Coordinates of all heavy atoms in Angstrom, one line a residue:
F148 N 13.6 126.7 -4.3 CA 12.4 126.1 -4.9 C 11.9 124.9 -4.1 O 10.7 124.9 -3.7 CB 12.6 125.8 -6.4 CG 11.4 125.2 -7.0 CD1 10.3 126.1 -7.4 CD2 11.2 123.9 -7.3 CE1 9.2 125.5 -8.0 CE2 10.1 123.3 -7.8 CZ 9.1 124.2 -8.2
P149 N 12.7 123.9 -3.8 CA 12.2 122.8 -3.0 C 11.7 123.2 -1.7 O 10.7 122.7 -1.1 CB 13.4 121.8 -2.9 CG 14.2 122.2 -4.1 CD 14.1 123.6 -4.3
A150 N 12.4 124.2 -1.0 CA 12.0 124.7 0.3 C 10.7 125.3 0.2 O 9.8 125.1 1.1 CB 13.1 125.6 0.9
M151 N 10.4 126.1 -0.8 CA 9.1 126.8 -0.9 C 8.0 125.8 -1.2 O 6.9 125.9 -0.6 CB 9.2 127.8 -2.1 CG 10.1 129.0 -2.0 SD 9.6 130.1 -0.7 CE 11.0 131.2 -0.7
V152 N 8.3 124.8 -2.0 CA 7.3 123.8 -2.3 C 6.9 123.0 -1.0 O 5.8 122.8 -0.7 CB 7.7 122.9 -3.4 CG1 6.8 121.7 -3.5 CG2 7.8 123.6 -4.7
C153 N 8.0 122.6 -0.3 CA 7.8 121.8 0.9 C 7.0 122.6 2.0 O 6.2 122.1 2.7 CB 9.1 121.3 1.5 SG 9.8 120.0 0.4
A154 N 7.4 123.9 2.2 CA 6.7 124.7 3.1 C 5.2 124.8 2.8 O 4.4 124.8 3.7 CB 7.4 126.1 3.2
T155 N 4.9 125.0 1.5 CA 3.5 125.1 1.1 C 2.8 123.8 1.4 O 1.6 123.9 1.9 CB 3.5 125.4 -0.4 OG1 4.3 126.6 -0.7 CG2 2.0 125.7 -0.9
I156 N 3.4 122.7 1.0 CA 2.7 121.4 1.3 C 2.4 121.3 2.8 O 1.4 120.9 3.2 CB 3.6 120.2 0.8 CG1 3.7 120.3 -0.7 CG2 3.0 118.9 1.3 CD1 4.7 119.2 -1.3
G157 N 3.4 121.6 3.6 CA 3.3 121.4 5.1 C 2.1 122.3 5.6 O 1.3 121.8 6.4
I158 N 2.1 123.6 5.3 CA 1.1 124.4 5.9 C -0.3 124.1 5.3 O -1.3 124.2 6.1 CB 1.5 125.9 5.6 CG1 0.6 126.8 6.6 CG2 1.3 126.3 4.2 CD1 1.0 126.7 8.0
V159 N -0.4 123.9 4.1 CA -1.7 123.6 3.5 C -2.3 122.3 4.1 O -3.5 122.2 4.4 CB -1.7 123.5 1.9 CG1 -3.0 123.0 1.4 CG2 -1.4 124.9 1.4
I160 N -1.5 121.3 4.1 CA -2.0 120.0 4.6 C -2.4 120.0 6.1 O -3.4 119.5 6.5 CB -1.0 118.9 4.4 CG1 -0.9 118.6 2.9 CG2 -1.4 117.6 5.1 CD1 0.2 117.6 2.5
S161 N -1.5 120.7 6.9 CA -1.8 120.8 8.3 C -3.1 121.5 8.6 O -3.9 121.1 9.5 CB -0.6 121.4 9.1 OG -0.4 122.8 8.6
Y162 N -3.3 122.6 7.9 CA -4.5 123.4 8.0 C -5.7 122.6 7.6 O -6.8 122.5 8.3 CB -4.4 124.7 7.2 CG -5.5 125.7 7.5 CD1 -5.3 126.5 8.6 CD2 -6.6 125.8 6.7 CE1 -6.3 127.5 8.9 CE2 -7.6 126.7 7.0 CZ -7.5 127.5 8.1 OH -8.4 128.5 8.4
S163 N -5.6 121.9 6.5 CA -6.7 121.1 5.9 C -7.1 119.9 6.8 O -8.2 119.7 7.2 CB -6.4 120.6 4.5 OG -6.2 121.7 3.6

Side-chain angles (χ1 to χ4, degrees):
F148 179 77
M151 294 295 177
V152 172
C153 289
T155 305
I156 293 173
I158 195 67
V159 170
I160 293 178
S161 64
Y162 191 85
S163 301

